[in-house]
Amino acid sequence: MVVCASHSPGMERDVDRVFGTTFRTGLARASSIVREFDPDYIVLFGGDHRRAFRHVVPTFGVALSAGIMAEAGHSPGALNVPQGTARGLAEHLLDSGIDISVCRDVQLDHAFAQPLRDLTGSVDAYPVIPLPINCATAPLPKAERVLAFGDAVGRYLSGTGDRVLVIGTGGLSHSPPSLEVDTYDISDEERARIIAEGSAAARKKIKPAWDKAFLHASATWDREALARLTDSAHADAGAGANEVRTWLAAGAAGGGVPLEPLIYEPVEEWITGMAVAVSA
């Protein structure tokens, strides 16, 4: 089963749940579907916001052990990574011609934590294999290679006989001020300053037409259209739209079945076009 969902720090800060009510409704539906599916474990494709990977940035990674950093009022936590399965996946990917980096004890941010909390209730509800994709630090992988990565993951999963939930998280259109600047090693204080100064402008950078085109291509699993939209995402839909690479990888890992949109809502207060889609 595949679920793809947007994430946003703004959603975390909206503790009174004032904004994004339409999106939250769709997210709750996806959560119910996930709980009914009750997977053996989760394979989670996520990006990084130059937090876990600053000086060495893997294009594709397989985490053999990982935790969640303290963020947005949440305490740090450990992920239960099924190491044998993760190791087998890493070996399969290398044998398939997909160059990956093996990561140990990597501390991941809300790109991984938020979808786990939103869809399963907590970061440790199920075992999870985190698969980082570079969506933030140029040069980025081309969509064709992301799809090949997802295809190879799917071939491994199909041979396990396991009940697996595949998650892709990020996007859709948005341009966070901290990702618009080409810097890799800034303090949390400097990051906060950049975000605060650019937040008003970022609210106006959502591109609903691009989002809908991407969701339509996902719903029909039009690989050519998805690749075209992804490779031009930064120019057409903002720096944060590069995260749709995780949707491509997740969909491909799920066998390329159509991803049915449950909801779409552009939420200016969260500076993001928010969507949820599930495999049909």
Side-chain angles (χ1 to χ4, degrees), residues 165-234:
L165 171 65
V166 180
I167 298 177
T169 172
L172 298 175
S173 66
H174 66 300
S175 202
S178 59
L179 293 184
E180 288 183 335
V181 294
D182 187 15
T183 184
Y184 66 92
D185 199 14
I186 60 176
S187 67
D188 287 343
E189 292 75 18
E190 178 67 4
R191 183 189 306 275
R193 183 191 65 78
I194 292 171
I195 291 172
E197 291 180 355
S199 60
R203 292 185 177 198
K204 303 302 180 183
K205 294 181 180 180
I206 301 174
K207 306 294 184 182
W210 187 91
D211 292 342
K212 291 174 182 177
F214 184 85
L215 290 171
H216 176 74
S218 299
T220 56
W221 198 248
D222 184 339
R223 285 174 69 113
E224 181 178 342
L226 286 168
R228 183 176 65 253
L229 288 161
T230 299
D231 285 336
S232 62
H234 194 139

Side-chain angles (χ1 to χ4, degrees), residues 26 28 36 40 88 95 106 125 129 135 140 155 168 171 196 200 212 230-231 236 271:
E36 183 178 353
D40 296 325
D95 290 343
V106 62
I129 302 175
C135 299
L140 304 182
R155 288 193 295 272
K212 291 174 182 177
T230 299
D231 285 336
D236 295 341
I271 72 167

Side-chain angles (χ1 to χ4, degrees), residues 39-58:
D40 296 325
Y41 55 88
I42 295 170
V43 169
L44 174 50
F45 293 96
D48 177 57
H49 302 95
R50 302 175 189 159
R51 309 282 300 282
F53 306 106
R54 297 192 184 194
H55 300 91
V56 177
V57 184

